[in-house]
Amino acid sequence: MNNIKKLIATTSLALGLFALPTLTDASTSHTVQSGESFWKIATQYGVSVTSLLEENNRTSSALNAGETIKIPNSISEADKELLAKLVHAEAKGEPYAGKVAVATVVLNRLDHPDYPNTIKDVIYAKSSKGYYAFSPVKDGAINQTPNDEARKAVKEALAFRGQGKGSLYFYNPETATSEWIFSREVTTTIGNHRFAK
């Protein structure tokens, strides 16, 4: 009788181990709830709407409650947090749209061939003259804990990824000292920041 119990326990353990990949697979899919949209799901998972549509071979944005869609790989939680720290430090006191735009600049650089291919490397990049691209890296403000609005702005920027005006820079015209930055094409102005490419 004890041998049978051991066999059942061993079999159950083995089946449980083989079932683990299913749990992992479940984390890369989402069951659509009533009223959800690709935008809402993309924002929830921190992925772009475009990549979500592509991952699911969709040309239409129509969703049906109960259907299961695949969630594409996204940037890591650590990179999202680092980006939120930058947004918090760079856009404190700016409108929410400005916070989203700051995060979008970093993502645009990430997708641009002239810039590094990780969030961390984009944020900590130095110019050929040895200057950090973002002043909060130099002054240490990057190390502050971001607030919920900065984290939300990062999620929205990720969902919006690839759909903006291609801004690669932002600056405050009242405090900027580089003549070069004023030569860039301005794409929009939000709060105290001008965004440019």
Side-chain angles (χ1 to χ4, degrees), residues 66-167:
E67 78 174 289
T68 301
I69 60 171
K70 294 182 277 184
I71 307 298
N73 291 332
S74 178
I75 65 170
S76 71
E77 291 302 317
D79 279 348
K80 288 177 191 174
E81 186 69 3
L82 179 60
L83 185 51
K85 286 180 175 187
L86 180 73
V87 168
H88 181 73
E90 284 281 12
K92 196 182 299 184
E94 293 295 317
Y96 177 74
K99 291 174 174 64
V100 174
V102 166
T104 299
V105 164
V106 175
L107 296 174
N108 287 346
R109 287 184 180 194
L110 185 65
D111 295 336
H112 195 280
D114 292 346
Y115 291 91
N117 60 3
T118 69
I119 295 282
K120 183 177 180 181
D121 289 344
V122 167
I123 290 174
Y124 287 99
K126 287 185 177 180
S127 71
S128 59
K129 295 181 180 180
Y131 300 115
Y132 284 108
F134 301 103
S135 59
V137 174
K138 181 181 178 186
D139 67 22
I142 187 84
N143 299 314
Q144 297 173 359
T145 302
N147 60 18
D148 289 340
E149 188 172 62
R151 290 184 179 107
K152 182 181 174 190
V154 167
K155 285 184 175 182
E156 187 165 332
L158 285 164
F160 187 65
R161 189 174 181 177
Q163 299 178 45
K165 297 178 182 179
S167 299

Side-chain angles (χ1 to χ4, degrees), residues 26-59:
S27 67
T28 59
S29 65
H30 175 84
T31 302
V32 177
Q33 304 299 310
S34 179
E36 283 187 319
S37 63
F38 275 106
W39 173 259
K40 186 174 182 180
I41 295 167
T43 303
Q44 178 182 342
Y45 287 94
V47 298
S48 75
V49 172
T50 303
S51 66
L52 194 55
L53 289 167
E54 288 173 1
E55 181 74 16
N56 290 281
N57 298 317
R58 301 295 271 273
T59 55

Side-chain angles (χ1 to χ4, degrees), residues 12-28:
S12 296
L13 178 61
L15 289 174
L17 290 174
F18 289 115
L20 285 178
T22 303
L23 294 174
T24 303
D25 291 344
S27 67
T28 59

